[in-house]
Amino acid sequence: MINFLRGLPKVELHAHLNGSLSIESIKELAEKVYGQQSEEFAEMCERFISFEKGANLNDCFQKFAFVHELTSTPQGLDYATQLAIRDFARDNVMYLELRTTPKSNGNMTRRAYLETVISAIKRGTKQHEINVKLLPSINRSEPVAVAEETVALATEIAQNEPDIVVGIDFSGNPNQGKFSEFAPVLETARKHGFKLAIHCAEIDNPVEIREMLKFGMSRCGHGTYLGNSGFAHMKQYNIPIECCLTSNVKSGTVSSFGSHHLKQLLLADAPKVLCTDDCGVFDTTLSDEFLLATETFGLTQSQCIDLIIEAVQHSFATPEEKLKMKMQVYAYTRRQ
Ligand SMILES: CNc1ncnc2c1ncn2[C@@H]1O[C@H](COP(=O)(O)O)[C@@H](O)[C@H]1O
Ligand SMILES: [Zn+2]
């Protein structure tokens, strides 16, 4: 099964750039940024991917600082983006929607951050057989003014790069920030033609979940606490839930793989896509996530193919790109 899954051309719709670097790539990046690496750095890498029993989401969010340090210069960010694309391409991901929060610091502005990532995407897609889109992220734990700047920049840059900048992601620590305060800027993004991928119901917050469902979205990140009525809503409006099994279990929002809500979504025939979230932090790959789904829920090879086709449908790709992806999947299945 694992060889079939590794070879299968896959679609990754939920991947945060700074969370997606494998340990090997982090080491490569550190070599590039800092030069020769110490034993201490190797130990930090081990700590980065190890989770204490009972770890929670807040613990996860602390981990990102480690990578953010390495991507705090244009050179580091450029290299990190290329490495992330290479890692996904090596796992036979044919289409990737990468999301990342533009950050400003003494080395670069948010505009420079986005331009650096886009330039790396353009080179990465020439070097590897992969199509990559970008969803600039709004981090809910930052001020609304930052979100406004991100959406304004995304809107401007998308005029020159309409094939790359296709949507906006709403993410960050769900214990912080209020969705209602970000709704106006997300509405502006939607009016400018961006698709919205919103982290929704990653924790149990019924008031916010209601607000988000009313607001609407193109895709829902996690959806863990939507409950049966929420799942029915998503099915009615054809909004897929981006399921990230390892992320949810390691961050403690789901207690075990067997109790993951993917099971209910499969039973209800509700829209769903399998994703990694942060394959670096959670030490996984998209192929591993599919393997987990086959082992936990008994999915067959043909059901895995159906899930890829479902992801193609829910991607923010053009109709031509979607057709090309389907042909690639069918060509692979014919060779099996
Ligand atoms: C585990 N579940 C999650 N829930 C919510 N937001 C998450 C997340 N995992 C990652 N992020 C968001 O992505 C950022 C890292 O990538 P970028 O620096 O943007 O490339 C994190 O700082 C957080 O804002
Ligand atoms: Zn996420």
Side-chain angles (χ1 to χ4, degrees):
M1 185 59 118
I2 187 62
N3 289 336
F4 166 80
L5 293 173
R6 288 210 178 109
L8 182 61
K10 291 173 286 294
V11 170
E12 170 65 82
L13 301 183
H14 187 141
H16 300 270
L17 172 58
N18 280 277
S20 293
L21 290 175
S22 65
I23 277 298
E24 285 319 307
S25 293
I26 289 179
K27 287 181 181 163
E28 265 188 74
L29 176 61
E31 291 254 351
K32 198 91 168 173
V33 174
Y34 302 136
Q36 202 59 28
Q37 278 321 301
S38 60
E39 240 172 65
E40 194 194 341
F41 185 83
E43 279 166 22
M44 281 162 80
C45 287
E46 284 312 311
R47 275 205 299 280
F48 179 68
I49 53 166
S50 63
F51 282 78
E52 303 278 313
K53 239 194 148 50
N56 62 31
L57 255 189
N58 291 333
D59 301 322
C60 284
F61 283 98
Q62 310 219 331
K63 289 181 177 270
F64 293 105
F66 179 56
V67 188
H68 285 156
E69 174 92 31
L70 290 163
T71 56
S72 62
T73 61
Q75 294 78 0
L77 180 62
D78 175 271
Y79 202 55
T81 309
Q82 289 188 63
L83 288 170
I85 292 171
R86 182 199 66 181
D87 287 350
F88 280 111
R90 280 185 179 167
D91 191 32
N92 284 316
V93 170
M94 62 176 160
Y95 176 90
L96 164 67
E97 288 181 14
L98 208 50
R99 29 184 109 188
T100 192
T101 321
K103 298 162 194 75
S104 75
N105 57 31
N107 303 316
M108 60 187 153
T109 58
R110 289 196 177 83
R111 178 189 294 275
Y113 185 103
L114 285 174
E115 287 172 353
T116 301
V117 172
I118 289 169
S119 127
I121 287 178
K122 284 183 179 168
R123 271 171 288 129
T125 49
K126 280 207 186 95
Q127 246 178 305
H128 306 282
E129 277 186 41
I130 186 167
N131 186 1
V132 184
K133 309 279 183 192
L134 176 65
L135 314 184
S137 300
I138 291 175
N139 183 342
R140 57 183 294 159
S141 64
E142 292 183 329
V144 173
V146 172
E148 286 166 352
E149 186 190 340
T150 298
V151 169
L153 281 170
T155 307
E156 193 191 319
I157 295 173
Q159 291 185 344
N160 291 327
E161 308 291 355
D163 298 336
I164 297 182
V165 187
V166 290
I168 294 286
D169 160 54
F170 182 71
S171 57
N173 190 336
N175 295 301
Q176 295 171 7
K178 277 180 116 176
F179 171 73
S180 55
E181 290 173 9
F182 290 92
V185 63
L186 286 166
E187 189 56 55
T188 304
R190 187 155 56 189
K191 283 208 181 97
H192 282 118
F194 287 119
K195 297 281 191 349
L196 300 181
I198 298 200
H199 283 63
C200 165
E202 190 176 9
I203 58 170
D204 194 9
N205 183 345
V207 174
E208 180 175 283
I209 293 171
R210 264 198 301 278
E211 286 168 0
M212 285 179 164
L213 293 193
K214 189 156 176 253
F215 180 82
M217 61 196 82
S218 292
R219 293 199 310 256
C220 165
H222 303 298
T224 314
Y225 290 89
L226 282 172
N228 284 336
S229 66
F231 294 148
H233 175 99
M234 294 312 197
K235 185 172 176 178
Q236 186 184 351
Y237 291 93
N238 194 25
I239 301 168
I241 291 160
E242 299 160 348
C243 292
C244 312
L245 290 131
T246 303
S247 162
N248 294 158
V249 170
K250 285 197 176 173
S251 65
T253 55
V254 169
S255 58
S256 65
F257 292 119
S259 60
H260 195 279
H261 48 291
L262 174 59
K263 185 177 180 174
Q264 280 144 282
L265 296 171
L266 287 163
L267 284 172
D269 196 23
K272 67 233 150 276
V273 290
L274 284 198
C275 312
T276 56
D277 206 10
D278 299 288
C279 52
V281 178
F282 299 118
D283 194 20
T284 186
T285 62
L286 191 54
S287 295
D288 288 344
E289 295 300 297
F290 270 87
L291 185 66
L292 258 176
T294 62
E295 289 173 351
T296 313
F297 303 113
L299 292 186
T300 61
Q301 290 190 353
S302 131
Q303 283 173 306
C304 292
I305 293 165
D306 291 346
L307 277 173
I308 304 279
I309 298 298
E310 199 169 349
V312 169
Q313 297 292 22
H314 291 292
S315 73
F316 300 157
T318 62
E320 295 75 30
E321 288 170 325
K322 289 183 181 180
L323 185 62
K324 199 174 147 207
M325 285 191 264
K326 285 183 199 162
M327 307 289 278
Q328 250 176 281
V329 175
Y330 294 135
Y332 177 76
T333 54
R334 270 198 305 274
R335 286 200 302 273
Q336 292 307 297

